[in-house]
Amino acid sequence: MANETENPRVEPLALHAGAVPDPTTGAILTPIYQTTTYRQEAVGQDKGYTYSRAGNPTVTALEKRLAALEGAEYATCFSSGLSATTALFLSLLSAGDRVVVSEVCYGGTVRLLQQIFSNLGVIAEFIDTSREEALVKAASEPAKLFFIETPANPTLRLTDIALASKFAKLAGALVVVDNTLLTPVLQKPLDLGADISLHSTTKYIEGHNATIGGVLITRDKELHERFDLVRKSTGTIQAPFDAWLTLQGVKTLPLRIREHCDNAFRVGRFLESHPAIEKLNYPGFDSFPQHELAGRQQELGGALISFELKGGVEAGIHLMNSVKLCALPI
Ligand SMILES: Cc1ncc(COP(=O)(O)O)c(C=O)c1O
């Protein structure tokens, strides 16, 4: 895998897509439309906005930029990655519905399914979506949704999005990919057959540890309208200031993500021959069992590496308590 991105078009999109200069002054940056309501010319005559729980121009600008980066028409931004996931489930799942989920995925997604949506009668089946046999078996019964996280945190195991999408269709299911770890710069799930791309924008997209946010991106107008309806009904739109900060952050996403990948590559090279390491996972290395798949469906190896230490859990805790530059987030 070449350790450089092959898609130069993302830079202008990250800078300009969705930008709306201030119509009053011409100010280049899309303003923070910090307003609750909007004045209507007459009853029923609005300019596309009525109440900021339903829609806000700063949020719209961010949605247009994120949709463009993903090569899609529609995006709906939320107050967090998990509120995007919640809106996805509320939009698509009812009591008795089956959802097939990557068994290694973000813990908050697992908690949401096992402790909240299970009470509403949604049946979550966790399988190893990286294995074709597991996909075949999962597709032998009807399902509403295949929820895939690739690379999966922390094993970084990959799921073949095109293959999983093929089997999901056989089961009558839509496919969502949690694309948080790679961002649209490195992976475009919709081009590989997925119906929806989900991100926690909290991470690389905003990139400055300043906001919490999430987004659902799709090419399907009906799905988009459903997501908007659920967001309006449950009150989970992103705040205008957070959307504005994310608009600024996303401008440097292509540059940052390349640097992140480069750092991961170099730290990985250092660690892989280190005597304290038992096993190292990095999709960008030839030694990674799914390196060929990484080369096919994502650009670069990604910004995360994971590793196991000789000495197991105790050695891991000792290392984590000794790190100087990184902070322990939880
Ligand atoms: C892969 C992934 N998806 C979703 C989320 C949830 O995002 P948020 O923290 O913005 O709710 C996270 C958060 O860590 C994550 O790592």
Side-chain angles (χ1 to χ4, degrees), residues 80-82 106 149 178 180 200 202-203 212-213:
S80 70
L82 271 180
Y106 171 59
E149 189 173 308
D178 185 332
T180 301
S200 164
T202 312
K203 310 288 158 28
I212 301 278

Coordinates of all heavy atoms in Angstrom, one line a residue, residues 80-82 106 149 178 180 200 202-203 212-213, ligand 1:
S80 N -23.9 14.3 18.9 CA -22.8 13.4 19.2 C -22.9 12.3 18.2 O -23.9 12.1 17.5 CB -23.0 12.9 20.6 OG -24.1 12.0 20.7
G81 N -21.8 11.5 18.2 CA -21.8 10.3 17.4 C -22.9 9.3 17.8 O -23.6 8.7 17.0
L82 N -23.0 9.3 19.2 CA -24.1 8.3 19.7 C -25.5 8.8 19.4 O -26.4 8.0 19.3 CB -23.8 8.0 21.2 CG -22.9 6.9 21.4 CD1 -22.7 6.6 22.9 CD2 -23.4 5.6 20.8
Y106 N -17.3 -0.1 18.6 CA -17.3 0.9 19.7 C -18.2 0.5 20.9 O -19.4 0.1 20.6 CB -17.6 2.3 19.2 CG -17.8 3.3 20.2 CD1 -16.8 3.6 21.1 CD2 -19.0 4.0 20.3 CE1 -17.0 4.6 22.1 CE2 -19.2 4.9 21.3 CZ -18.2 5.2 22.2 OH -18.4 6.1 23.2
E149 N -18.3 -1.9 11.6 CA -17.3 -0.9 12.0 C -16.0 -1.5 11.4 O -15.6 -2.6 11.8 CB -17.2 -0.8 13.5 CG -16.2 0.3 13.9 CD -16.3 0.6 15.4 OE1 -17.4 0.8 16.0 OE2 -15.2 0.6 16.0
D178 N -19.7 2.5 10.3 CA -19.1 3.5 11.2 C -17.7 3.8 10.7 O -16.8 3.0 10.8 CB -19.1 3.0 12.7 CG -18.6 4.0 13.6 OD1 -17.9 4.9 13.2 OD2 -19.0 4.0 14.8
T180 N -15.8 6.4 11.4 CA -15.1 7.3 12.3 C -13.6 7.2 12.2 O -12.9 8.2 12.2 CB -15.6 7.1 13.8 OG1 -17.0 7.3 13.8 CG2 -14.9 8.1 14.7
S200 N -18.5 9.7 14.2 CA -18.4 10.6 15.3 C -17.5 11.7 14.9 O -16.2 11.5 14.7 CB -17.8 9.9 16.5 OG -17.4 10.8 17.5
T202 N -16.6 14.1 16.5 CA -15.8 14.4 17.7 C -14.3 14.1 17.5 O -13.4 14.7 18.1 CB -16.3 13.5 18.9 OG1 -17.7 13.6 18.9 CG2 -15.7 13.9 20.2
K203 N -14.0 13.1 16.7 CA -12.6 12.6 16.6 C -11.8 13.4 15.5 O -11.7 14.5 15.6 CB -12.7 11.1 16.3 CG -13.6 10.3 17.2 CD -13.0 10.2 18.6 CE -14.0 10.0 19.7 NZ -15.2 9.3 19.5
I212 N -18.3 17.8 20.5 CA -18.9 16.5 20.4 C -19.8 16.6 19.2 O -20.6 17.5 19.1 CB -19.6 16.1 21.7 CG1 -18.7 16.1 22.9 CG2 -20.3 14.7 21.5 CD1 -17.9 14.9 23.1
G213 N -19.8 15.6 18.3 CA -20.7 15.7 17.2 C -20.8 14.4 16.4 O -19.9 13.5 16.6
Ligands
LIG1 C1 -15.9 4.4 16.4 C2 -16.8 5.3 17.2 N1 -18.1 5.4 16.8 C3 -18.9 6.2 17.6 C4 -18.5 6.9 18.7 C5 -19.4 7.7 19.5 O1 -19.2 9.1 19.3 P1 -19.4 10.3 20.3 O2 -18.4 10.1 21.4 O3 -19.2 11.5 19.5 O4 -20.8 10.1 20.8 C6 -17.1 6.8 19.1 C7 -16.6 7.5 20.3 O5 -15.6 7.1 20.8 C8 -16.3 5.9 18.3 O6 -15.0 5.7 18.7

